[in-house]
Amino acid sequence: MNSTGSKTSPCEWYGIHCNNEGSVAELNVTSLGLRGTLHNFNFSSFSNLVSLDLSLNELFGTIPSQISNLTKLTHLGFHSNNFSGHIPPEIVFLTSLRYLDLSQNQISGSIPQKIGSLYSLFDMRLNENNLTGSIPTSISNLTNLSILSIHQNQISGVIPQDIGRLSSLTLLALSKNNLSGSIPTSITNLTRLSTLYLFDNQLSGIIPRDIGRLHSLTILGMHQNNLSGSIPISICNLANITFLSIYKNKLTGAIPRDIGKLRSLNTLIMSQNKLTGAIPPDIWKISSLTSLHLSMNKLTGTIPAAVGNLRNLTFLCLFQNQLTGSLPIEIKSLTQLEFLYLSQNKLTGGIPASLSNFKKLRELTLFNNQLTGSLPIDLNKLNHLTLLALNNNSFSGIIPTSIWHCTNLTYMNLGNNYLTGNISYESVTAQQLKYLLLNDNHLSGTIPKSIGKLQYLKVLQLSNNKFEGNIPTEVSSLRDLQILSLKSNKFNGSIPQKINHLRQLRILDLSQNNLTSLIPSSIGNLKKLTSRFNDTVTISSYDLGGVRLNMSIKGNDIEIVLLFSYTSAIDLSCNNLVGNIPKELSLLKGLYMLNLSHNHFSANIPTNFGNMSGLESLDLSFNRLSGDIPQSLTSIDSLGFLDLSYNKLSGKIPRGGHFETLSRDGSAFLGNDLLCGFPIDRVCKGGHNGAGNNNTTIKVEEDVQENANERLLFYRVIVLGYGFGFLGLFFVLLLNKEKWWFGYWRIIDSIVIRILGCNYKNN
């Protein structure tokens, strides 16, 4: 290269700086969208280069070993490209290097073992690559290092014991690797450290007892490891710390009582450990706190009135502990709160009326407690509320109409309470709702036609209530609906004809109602029921009607995940449905479960049911089905449960494949007195199907009469036994004189239920 002043001189290129002799000293061409490799780069022409920065481009390929020719290089920046291959071992010859940044590429292999030869290094960043192997022990020779970042690779092995020799370090980031072993005690010698990231590894052992020596520390992240033992008391000496995260370890014991000395702390995360005892009173004195995460431990005691001191708090997360008592009225002072998670404790009392003070509240979870009283009537004042989970408590009274005016609400779960009355939202403005769960209450009345306004609804769970009337046709307009569960109510009438419009439907449960009429043949058009269903939707652990709500912690945030743990299913059992079973159901080839039991279906089982190749559970029991059992059912290899009992089926039970293992005791075929063959005792004579065969019919009739005589004798013995048992039990309980009538009638009730069940089966 020359300095003749021609327009092709490198000294006139953008980003190129030359020294006094005209040779290139700096080549900085960042963020220009450059593509290509460095294999045609003539490194020997840039022997005087001091700075080479090609960051934030689209360069790929390997880093050539010829880079070692740039012996005067002090600054080498290749970050945010697509370089691959290994770090060239020859890089250790660049002994003048002060800045080395190869981060955010796809570099693999190990860190050169002689990296400690780069004595002048001040800043080394190798993060966010695919590096493997261990951290070279020679790295402890880099005593001038201020920044060492190797996080988010696949580095394994232990942290070098001599890491404490790097006394100039201000940032040490070894997080998101596969490091194991203990944290070296020498790490407490790094008294200039302001940031220490060791999180997301497999580190074990204890947190160094002298961790408090790191008096310059402002950020400490040790979460997601296997650290054990107690939290060192010296951690309370980190007077400058603003971020402290040690969640998801195996730490035990109490939270240090002097934790309140950390007066600069903004974020404290100690969740997912095994911490015990009460929350230290001094923690409520850290007025600078914006995020407090102590969830998923074994903490006891109450939430004190002093919680009101944390007026800057935006995140209060105490769920899944053993906290007791009521919510203090002073909680109203937390006007900056955006996330309040107190679920899965033993809290009692009601929700403070001052809840409406939380103008910024976005998510509120109080589920799985022992809370009572009515729901606040002014929930509509929470304009930013998106998630409301109050399920599994003892709330009573009506659902306030104001709740339907939370305009940003997307998830609402009020299930498993004692709520009564109708649900009315004729003027609903909460049209962003995606998940509506009101199951297991005492709600009554009809489903309002305005349900059709909830156009984004994905889950509608109203089971185990006292709803009645028809299922409104407006339900069919919920085009995004994936789960529809209305079981155990008093719905009557027919299944809406337009149910086939629910093209996203995965689970349909209308069981245990009083529905009549036929199943619409259009049900076969529910195409989403033809594929497996195991979705995860980001929107802690509580199972409800196939929907599991889990809380997990990511960084400084709680991630709430709604898991649809069922595969595709239809349950229409325990109704009064009549007619034929639609053959169109066979189009739902990915259906996991089909339950049509306890209805009045007649005629034959559709022969094309064998096409339902994904079926694992089929229950057609307690109907009036007749004719042969289709041979095609033997081709469903996935079938794990079958119940065809108490129908009017006839002929020989088909054999073949996995079908023969489903009911070796014959229970799947009970109550079909015209069936014969394995696995029941009736022999099919003549080697035919049995249907219409005289010999088989005679033999079956003989078996039926014999079974009837046996049942009669059985019931006589049972009645005598129960009679003597009643008398004996009566006198024993009478002598006991301690609420004897409770036990007596409870046992009578259970026996009556059994007798009625047997009677139902025999009819």
Side-chain angles (χ1 to χ4, degrees):
M1 310 198 82
N2 58 64
S3 57
T4 60
S6 67
K7 291 185 178 180
T8 58
S9 171
C11 295
E12 297 185 7
W13 293 353
Y14 178 82
I16 295 181
H17 302 276
C18 299
N19 58 22
N20 292 333
E21 289 77 29
S23 58
V24 177
E26 296 182 18
L27 179 55
N28 299 322
V29 282
T30 62
S31 304
L32 294 180
L34 299 177
R35 294 179 58 84
T37 69
L38 296 181
H39 290 286
N40 293 325
F41 191 89
N42 189 355
F43 288 96
S44 59
S45 299
F46 294 87
S47 57
N48 291 314
L49 204 61
V50 174
S51 176
L52 175 60
D53 199 335
L54 305 177
S55 302
L56 297 162
N57 282 294
E58 300 178 29
L59 300 172
F60 55 91
T62 59
I63 300 173
S65 59
Q66 291 85 351
I67 200 169
S68 61
N69 294 335
L70 307 179
T71 54
K72 296 182 180 180
L73 209 60
T74 62
H75 181 112
L76 178 59
F78 284 174
H79 80 84
S80 301
N81 279 286
N82 294 309
F83 287 116
S84 58
H86 296 183
I87 300 173
E90 293 82 1
I91 204 169
V92 301
F93 297 127
L94 302 179
T95 54
S96 297
L97 266 185
R98 289 179 51 79
Y99 177 88
L100 173 62
D101 190 352
L102 306 180
S103 63
Q104 299 181 51
N105 281 285
Q106 300 174 29
I107 299 171
S108 57
S110 59
I111 301 171
Q113 289 298 313
K114 296 183 179 180
I115 197 74
S117 301
L118 302 179
Y119 302 110
S120 300
L121 265 184
F122 175 82
D123 188 335
M124 181 165 70
R125 309 182 190 211
L126 306 177
N127 50 283
E128 296 174 74
N129 279 291
N130 299 312
L131 296 172
T132 55
S134 59
I135 300 174
T137 55
S138 69
I139 210 166
S140 59
N141 296 331
L142 305 178
T143 54
N144 292 311
L145 264 185
S146 175
I147 294 176
L148 174 58
S149 179
I150 314 178
H151 83 93
Q152 202 166 328
N153 280 285
Q154 300 172 36
I155 302 293
S156 57
V158 299
I159 300 173
Q161 290 297 318
D162 290 338
I163 195 78
R165 292 179 57 193
L166 305 180
S167 56
S168 298
L169 275 183
T170 60
L171 182 148
L172 176 60
L174 305 180
S175 49
K176 292 193 174 183
N177 280 290
N178 297 315
L179 295 171
S180 57
S182 60
I183 300 172
T185 55
S186 69
I187 209 167
T188 63
N189 295 332
L190 306 179
T191 55
R192 295 185 183 181
L193 266 185
S194 63
T195 302
L196 176 58
Y197 286 139
L198 301 178
F199 64 87
D200 208 353
N201 280 291
Q202 300 172 26
L203 299 172
S204 56
I206 64 172
I207 298 174
R209 295 301 177 199
D210 292 334
I211 193 76
R213 294 181 60 201
L214 303 180
H215 52 79
S216 298
L217 211 58
T218 60
I219 298 175
L220 174 60
M222 293 184 171
H223 48 273
Q224 295 189 159
N225 280 290
N226 294 311
L227 300 173
S228 57
S230 59
I231 300 171
I233 296 175
S234 72
I235 209 167
C236 301
N237 296 330
L238 302 177
N240 295 307
I241 199 161
T242 61
F243 179 92
L244 172 57
S245 178
I246 52 177
Y247 77 86
K248 205 172 185 181
N249 279 290
K250 299 177 180 178
L251 299 170
T252 56
I255 300 172
R257 63 181 181 180
D258 289 336
I259 197 77
K261 293 168 62 177
L262 305 181
R263 296 301 173 89
S264 299
L265 203 58
N266 293 323
T267 300
L268 177 60
I269 311 179
M270 295 182 171
S271 303
Q272 288 179 272
N273 282 288
K274 300 178 181 179
L275 301 175
T276 54
I279 300 173
D282 280 2
I283 213 166
W284 311 113
K285 297 179 182 179
I286 310 176
S287 58
S288 57
L289 269 180
T290 58
S291 294
L292 177 59
H293 308 248
L294 303 177
S295 60
M296 301 178 77
N297 282 292
K298 299 179 181 179
L299 299 174
T300 55
T302 63
I303 301 173
V307 69
N309 296 333
L310 305 184
R311 302 201 174 188
N312 294 309
L313 210 59
T314 61
F315 213 131
L316 180 56
C317 184
L318 305 177
F319 75 88
Q320 202 169 328
N321 279 290
Q322 299 172 21
L323 300 175
T324 56
S326 59
L327 295 176
I329 191 66
E330 289 79 6
I331 204 169
K332 68 180 181 180
S333 300
L334 307 183
T335 56
Q336 302 301 310
L337 263 186
E338 296 181 25
F339 303 91
L340 179 57
Y341 298 130
L342 304 178
S343 55
Q344 294 167 288
N345 280 288
K346 299 177 181 179
L347 299 175
T348 55
I351 299 177
S354 57
L355 189 69
S356 59
N357 287 358
F358 300 152
K359 302 295 185 183
K360 297 182 179 181
L361 197 64
R362 293 167 55 188
E363 296 180 1
L364 173 62
T365 70
L366 299 174
F367 64 87
N368 279 40
N369 277 291
Q370 299 166 21
L371 298 170
T372 56
S374 57
L375 302 181
I377 61 174
D378 53 357
L379 285 170
N380 60 311
K381 294 182 179 179
L382 305 180
N383 295 326
H384 298 283
L385 194 66
T386 60
L387 184 146
L388 178 64
L390 306 179
N391 46 296
N392 264 45
N393 281 286
S394 297
F395 291 118
S396 57
I398 63 172
I399 298 175
T401 56
S402 63
I403 209 167
W404 307 109
H405 297 284
C406 295
T407 53
N408 291 300
L409 198 61
T410 59
Y411 178 94
M412 179 166 67
N413 192 342
L414 306 179
N416 273 0
N417 281 289
Y418 297 100
L419 299 173
T420 56
N422 302 339
I423 55 173
S424 177
Y425 41 85
E426 294 302 326
S427 58
V428 60
T429 55
Q431 296 182 14
Q432 301 300 315
L433 265 176
K434 294 181 180 179
Y435 309 94
L436 178 57
L437 297 93
L438 304 176
N439 54 285
D440 295 276
N441 280 288
H442 301 300
L443 299 170
S444 58
T446 60
I447 299 179
K449 293 183 178 181
S450 53
I451 188 75
K453 295 181 180 180
L454 306 180
Q455 289 297 308
Y456 300 104
L457 210 58
K458 291 186 176 182
V459 176
L460 179 58
Q461 168 66 284
L462 304 179
S463 60
N464 295 304
N465 279 289
K466 300 177 181 179
F467 290 115
E468 57 189 7
N470 294 340
I471 299 173
T473 57
E474 286 76 9
V475 167
S476 302
S477 66
L478 304 176
R479 302 301 172 88
D480 291 336
L481 202 63
Q482 297 182 13
I483 298 178
L484 175 59
S485 180
L486 307 179
K487 73 174 183 179
S488 296
N489 281 287
K490 300 178 181 179
F491 291 114
N492 52 40
S494 59
I495 299 172
Q497 288 293 323
K498 295 182 179 180
I499 197 156
N500 61 307
H501 290 180
L502 303 179
R503 298 300 175 88
Q504 303 299 317
L505 200 63
R506 303 279 194 166
I507 297 173
L508 176 62
D509 191 348
L510 307 180
S511 61
Q512 301 178 49
N513 281 288
N514 297 315
L515 298 174
T516 57
S517 190
L518 308 173
I519 298 178
S521 60
S522 61
I523 201 168
N525 294 326
L526 298 177
K527 299 302 182 184
K528 288 293 183 179
L529 287 170
T530 64
S531 59
R532 291 308 179 93
F533 177 43
N534 205 351
D535 293 344
T536 300
V537 181
T538 302
I539 60 149
S540 213
S541 30
Y542 177 60
D543 209 6
L544 174 63
V547 180
R548 181 178 291 274
L549 187 65
N550 285 330
M551 285 184 178
S552 61
I553 302 173
K554 289 193 173 183
N556 189 23
D557 297 320
I558 293 282
E559 182 179 79
I560 296 186
V561 178
L562 188 66
L563 301 175
F564 299 142
S565 55
Y566 279 159
T567 45
S568 303
I570 292 180
D571 190 344
L572 303 178
S573 61
C574 298
N575 280 291
N576 296 309
L577 298 171
V578 298
N580 299 351
I581 297 175
K583 62 181 181 180
E584 288 80 5
L585 282 170
S586 65
L587 299 174
L588 309 179
K589 296 182 180 180
L591 199 64
Y592 163 78
M593 185 269 284
L594 177 61
N595 188 351
L596 304 179
S597 65
H598 296 85
N599 279 289
H600 304 297
F601 293 117
S602 56
N604 298 345
I605 300 172
T607 56
N608 55 4
F609 262 27
N611 296 334
M612 303 171 75
S613 55
L615 203 62
E616 296 186 19
S617 175
L618 176 61
D619 192 346
L620 304 179
S621 61
F622 291 96
N623 278 289
R624 299 170 182 175
L625 300 171
S626 58
D628 297 344
I629 299 173
Q631 181 70 30
S632 63
L633 291 183
T634 64
S635 64
I636 308 178
D637 294 332
S638 58
L639 203 59
F641 175 82
L642 175 69
D643 193 349
L644 305 179
S645 61
Y646 299 97
N647 279 287
K648 298 180 179 180
L649 299 170
S650 60
K652 185 178 181 180
I653 298 171
R655 301 191 66 176
H658 175 61
F659 194 79
E660 296 184 22
T661 67
L662 291 177
S663 182
R664 290 186 176 276
D665 61 354
S667 60
F669 310 106
L670 288 174
N672 291 283
D673 294 333
L674 298 179
L675 284 177
C676 59
F678 179 85
I680 61 178
D681 295 333
R682 300 188 199 98
V683 178
C684 297
K685 293 187 176 181
H688 301 295
N689 265 349
N693 185 286
N694 291 334
N695 292 332
T696 301
T697 304
I698 293 171
K699 176 62 178 172
V700 168
E701 288 176 351
E702 291 173 354
D703 290 342
V704 171
Q705 184 60 44
E706 183 180 348
N707 288 340
N709 293 336
E710 289 176 356
R711 283 198 298 270
L712 183 60
L713 177 61
F714 173 76
Y715 290 136
R716 286 173 178 171
V717 173
I718 290 295
V719 168
L720 287 173
Y722 278 147
F724 286 114
F726 280 153
L727 291 174
L729 179 63
F730 181 87
F731 286 113
V732 167
L733 293 173
L734 180 63
L735 291 173
N736 197 35
K737 293 183 180 180
E738 190 172 325
K739 294 188 177 180
W740 60 269
W741 58 90
F742 275 137
Y744 180 69
W745 289 113
R746 185 169 62 246
I747 293 174
I748 288 180
D749 284 344
S750 66
I751 294 172
V752 168
I753 289 171
R754 292 181 188 177
I755 293 175
L756 288 175
C758 291
N759 183 57
Y760 179 59
K761 285 186 178 182
N762 284 289
N763 288 333

